[in-house]
Amino acid sequence: MRRPLLSIIAALAVVALVAAGCGGGGKAKKGGTVTILDTEGGVDNLDPGYWYYQDDYKSLGQTTQRWLYGWKPNETTPTPDLATGLPAASNGGKTITVKIRSGIKYSAPLQNRTAKTADIKYAMERCFLPQVGNGYAASYYGDIVGADAFSKGKAKEITGITAPDATTLVIKTTKPIYVLTSGRALGMPCTIPIPKDYAQKYDKGKTSTYGEHQVFTGPYMIENNGTGKITGYEPGKSLTLVRNPSWDKSTDFRPAYFNRIEFKGGFDATVAARKTLTGPAMLSGDYAAPPVAVLKSALSSRRSQLSITPSGGNRYIGLNTKIKPLDNVNVRRALSAAIDRTALRQTRGGPTLGTLATHFIPPAIGGFEDAGGAKGPGFDFASSPTANIPLAQSYMKKAGFKSGKYKGPALLTFADNAPPAKETAEAFQSEVGKLGFKLKFHEVPHATMLQKYCEVPRAAVAICPNFGWGADFFAPQSMIDPLFNGKNIVPIGNVNTAQVNDPKLNAQIEKSKTITDPAASAKAWGALDRVVTSQSYFLTWIWDNNVGLESKDMNGVPSKFNSGEWDLTFSSFKK
C-alpha cells in the first residue's frame, strides 16, 4: 500500500521543509506562563504508574518527575536522570546495577526527605498492581526474578529488585533482557521514586488514589496546598503546574525555562488550533494533528509556527480477536483490503501527515527494513493504497461468507469524538459498510474511549478505529511486545487490545527479547512484524507525523522520544 518512491520523497521533503523552519528556532528566554489548550480531555491519569501516553509524558511525566533515565529532545539513547550513569550489567547480563544521585528531594509534604533506591523498588513493584493499571510493566519488567509471583499475589515483593543501600539498585532477571541492560526500559515512569510508607495507603482498594496525593521530584509540580492535596487539577478542564521548590537545577539536565504551565481543557479542536496560532504564549495541546482546514491554512501562511516531525509510530484500527467474526483471520484480512488508506490519511491532512504504512514497525526503528521497508512484506491485503473490494470479498468467501459480504450482528465500536480522529473513524465506518459490516458506533472523548472501553477487555469492544502506537523507546521490542504478547493482557489499561495470546508467537517474542546484537535483534523483530501483519490483528494505515503548533512568541522544542510532542522542559519564550 506504499506509494511510489518519488511520492515518498516528495512527502518527506515537505516534512523536512516545514520542520526546518520551526520548533526550537530562536534563543530561549527564562520565565513566563505558557498556556496549552486541550481538546481530548488532557492527561489520562495523575498516577505515575499509569502514565503511558504522549500527553501523560508531555504534561506530567517529563515536567513533574525524575526517572532513572530521561530523554533529551533530539537523542535516541537515555540520559541518566536520577541515575548517575548507565546500568552496569554482570552475570551474563542477568544482573543490572544502577547507582542514583543522593540528595534529590521530594516536594511537600515530604520536602525533608530524599529519594532512595527503596522508593524506586516500590515504584516498580506497584506497576504490577491491578489498581494502578500500568500498560507496560509485564512487557519490560516481567522477566525480573520474582515478578511473576508478585503479580499473581503469591509474594509481597519482587525479590529480584533490591536496594542494598540508599543509592544502589540491583535488578536480577531470569535471562538477559536487552532493553534493561541498555537502560532503555528504565527510562519509563515506573522508575519514578515513590516512598512506600507514604503511598501504600493510597494503593489499597479497587483503584489507587496515589496520583491525587503524589510527591514530585521534577522541576514542576501540580499546584497543591502543601500538605499533599492537589488543588491545581480538574479532570478534563484544567491542570496547573508551578515550580517545585525542592528541585535542584544543578543536578538536572532539563533547563525548565517556564515559571508556570497552564493546561485548559474542553476546547473545540478548530478553536484551540486557531487560538494557538493567532494568540500569544501558547503551545498546542493534546492532539497530534490539528483539523485539516487549519493545517492547510497554516501551511500556506504560518509555516514558521508549525513543527512537523515523524512520530516514530503509526495509526491503526484495532480489531478484537475475541469477538466474532473477527476471530477469523480471513475476515480481518478482508477488512484490511477494504479500507482506503489514502482516504484515511486525507482525514488527517494528506501526505504532509505521514506515509502510508504496509506493516507495523515504523521507519527509523530497528526491524523496519527487515519487515520489508517501505514496500512491506508483500501481503496483497495490505499492499494497496486504496480499497480493493474484490480482494476483500474473496477473503470474506474464504471465511465462509458465500456472498462475499458480512451478515451478522452489528459490531460494537468506540471512536474518538474530536477531529481529525472523528473523521477518520467515520470514514472507516463508511468503507467497511461496503462489505456489509454494520457498526454499533459510539463517539466519546479520547480518555473515555481508552479507559472505559477500548483498553478494558470486559467491555467486549469489537473495533476501535482511533489507535496509534509509538515506540516506547528506540528499540523494536517496544513496537511488538506490549501489543502482541499474551502475557500483557490485563484487566484495565490493556494495550494488547487484539487480545493476542498465541503460544508460538509468545515464544518468538520472548526469544527475541534476549538478543543484544543490534543487527540480529532488528532481524528477529522484523520477522515478528511480518507475522503479526500476516495475521491482521490490526489495520495499520499510516506511519504518521506529529504536528505541533506554537504562537509567534514561543520557542517550542519537540521530543523525539515522545513522538514529536513538545518537551515543555526545553521549550520557552523567544528572546
Side-chain angles (χ1 to χ4, degrees):
M1 67 186 167
R2 178 66 72 152
R3 291 162 296 143
L5 183 59
L6 288 177
S7 297
I8 296 171
I9 294 172
L12 293 176
V14 171
V15 172
L17 180 63
V18 175
C22 56
K27 295 182 179 180
K29 178 181 178 181
K30 185 177 180 180
T33 298
V34 64
T35 299
I36 296 165
L37 305 182
D38 286 334
T39 66
E40 297 182 344
V43 295
D44 293 324
N45 196 299
L46 295 185
D47 196 316
Y50 181 91
W51 297 340
Y52 199 20
Y53 299 98
Q54 286 174 267
D55 202 63
D56 298 334
Y57 286 3
K58 178 184 72 176
S59 303
L60 292 174
Q62 294 174 316
T63 53
T64 69
Q65 297 288 3
R66 299 187 68 167
W67 313 358
L68 271 181
Y69 299 95
W71 302 85
K72 292 181 179 179
N74 289 317
E75 295 190 4
T76 58
T77 55
T79 296
D81 188 356
L82 283 174
T84 59
L86 291 174
S90 57
N91 188 30
K94 294 190 290 184
T95 299
I96 301 155
T97 303
V98 179
K99 299 290 289 186
I100 72 166
R101 304 176 193 273
S102 59
I104 303 300
K105 291 187 175 182
Y106 292 107
S107 63
L110 304 184
Q111 65 269 35
N112 295 320
R113 289 178 57 170
T114 58
K116 297 178 171 57
T117 47
D119 303 341
I120 299 172
K121 169 181 165 65
Y122 180 66
M124 295 180 71
E125 288 173 340
R126 71 187 294 275
C127 278
F128 284 90
L129 299 177
Q131 54 265 45
V132 172
N134 181 271
Y136 59 84
S139 294
Y140 305 131
Y141 311 139
D143 293 298
I144 296 175
V145 172
D148 184 61
F150 179 80
S151 66
K152 292 178 179 177
K154 297 179 180 179
K156 293 184 178 180
E157 65 171 339
I158 297 179
T159 56
I161 305 175
T162 57
D165 58 57
T167 60
T168 304
L169 184 74
V170 178
I171 300 172
K172 295 183 178 181
T173 56
T174 59
K175 55 188 176 184
I177 301 296
Y178 172 65
V179 296
L180 289 176
T181 58
S182 66
R184 284 166 168 78
L186 298 176
M188 301 284 281
C190 278
T191 65
I192 291 168
I194 298 176
K196 183 175 182 178
D197 63 316
Y198 173 76
Q200 196 168 36
K201 59 182 175 291
Y202 301 119
D203 286 340
K204 300 185 185 300
K206 186 176 180 180
T207 303
S208 173
T209 59
Y210 171 71
E212 301 164 26
H213 304 275
Q214 68 182 292
V215 286
F216 305 95
T217 51
Y220 301 98
M221 62 183 183
I222 304 176
E223 198 167 39
N224 59 81
N225 67 359
T227 65
K229 182 179 179 182
I230 285 175
T231 58
Y233 176 65
E234 190 173 358
K237 295 182 179 180
S238 65
L239 171 66
T240 301
L241 305 184
V242 296
R243 287 199 175 275
N244 178 3
S246 297
W247 180 62
D248 183 355
K249 181 181 179 180
S250 67
T251 66
D252 202 327
F253 65 87
R254 296 168 288 188
Y257 296 111
F258 298 125
N259 285 335
R260 185 180 179 94
I261 305 172
E262 295 185 352
F263 300 85
K264 297 182 179 180
F267 281 85
D268 172 81
T270 298
V271 172
R274 286 177 175 165
K275 276 182 173 289
T276 302
L277 290 168
T278 59
M282 292 185 183
L283 291 171
S284 53
D286 59 356
Y287 48 93
V292 174
V294 177
L295 175 62
K296 184 177 179 180
S297 174
L299 282 169
S300 64
S301 62
R302 294 180 180 272
R303 184 165 291 186
S304 64
Q305 291 175 249
L306 299 181
S307 174
I308 303 182
T309 56
S311 73
N314 57 42
R315 297 274 162 183
Y316 67 99
I317 294 149
L319 306 177
N320 186 345
T321 64
K322 298 298 182 182
I323 305 294
K324 290 185 177 298
L326 303 179
D327 59 338
N328 188 309
V329 65
N330 285 314
V331 170
R332 301 195 299 268
R333 288 169 175 167
L335 289 169
S336 181
I339 63 171
D340 186 330
R341 290 169 172 82
T342 300
L344 293 178
R345 184 176 63 179
Q346 286 300 121
T347 66
R348 294 187 69 81
T352 302
L353 267 294
T355 53
L356 301 184
T358 52
H359 51 98
F360 207 75
I361 295 178
I365 298 294
F368 171 75
E369 294 295 343
D370 299 272
K375 185 179 179 181
F379 302 125
D380 57 0
F381 51 83
S383 296
S384 175
T386 57
N388 188 334
I389 299 301
L391 178 64
Q393 290 177 331
S394 72
Y395 276 107
M396 290 298 291
K397 290 176 181 178
K398 290 179 183 178
F401 295 91
K402 295 181 179 180
S403 68
K405 289 189 175 184
Y406 173 67
K407 292 183 179 180
L411 300 180
L412 183 60
T413 301
F414 275 87
D416 204 316
N417 68 354
K422 171 183 170 71
E423 285 76 16
T424 301
E426 291 170 356
F428 167 77
Q429 182 182 29
S430 175
E431 290 169 1
V432 299
K434 297 173 184 177
L435 282 186
F437 284 92
K438 294 181 180 180
L439 307 182
K440 192 176 180 181
F441 194 78
H442 301 273
E443 294 179 329
V444 297
H446 179 76
T448 302
M449 177 188 76
L450 294 176
Q451 293 182 25
K452 291 189 176 182
Y453 300 108
C454 291
E455 294 186 347
V456 180
R458 68 174 179 273
V461 179
I463 301 176
C464 291
N466 297 131
F467 279 138
W469 192 260
D472 289 334
F473 36 76
F474 302 95
Q477 178 183 337
S478 69
M479 291 299 301
I480 301 294
D481 185 19
L483 281 78
F484 306 110
N485 193 331
K487 75 177 186 180
N488 298 329
I489 300 172
V490 293
I492 58 175
N494 176 54
V495 297
N496 182 347
T497 54
Q499 297 191 60
V500 183
N501 193 11
D502 179 342
K504 183 177 179 181
L505 177 61
N506 294 344
Q508 286 181 272
I509 290 173
E510 292 300 323
K511 182 178 180 181
S512 299
K513 288 161 63 173
T514 66
I515 301 172
T516 58
D517 175 72
S521 176
K523 184 177 180 179
W525 291 108
L528 280 163
D529 190 355
R530 290 173 180 264
V531 171
V532 296
T533 300
S534 170
Q535 290 296 309
S536 291
Y537 294 128
F538 50 85
L539 310 180
T540 311
W541 51 276
I542 188 175
W543 291 306
D544 67 331
N545 298 319
N546 190 87
V547 181
L549 309 180
E550 58 184 333
S551 299
K552 287 185 177 180
D553 58 349
M554 300 307 298
N555 181 32
V557 177
S559 166
K560 186 175 290 188
F561 162 72
N562 197 25
S563 301
E565 286 278 4
W566 298 123
D567 187 329
L568 298 177
T569 64
F570 279 83
S571 299
S572 67
F573 284 88
K574 291 179 180 177
K575 276 190 176 180

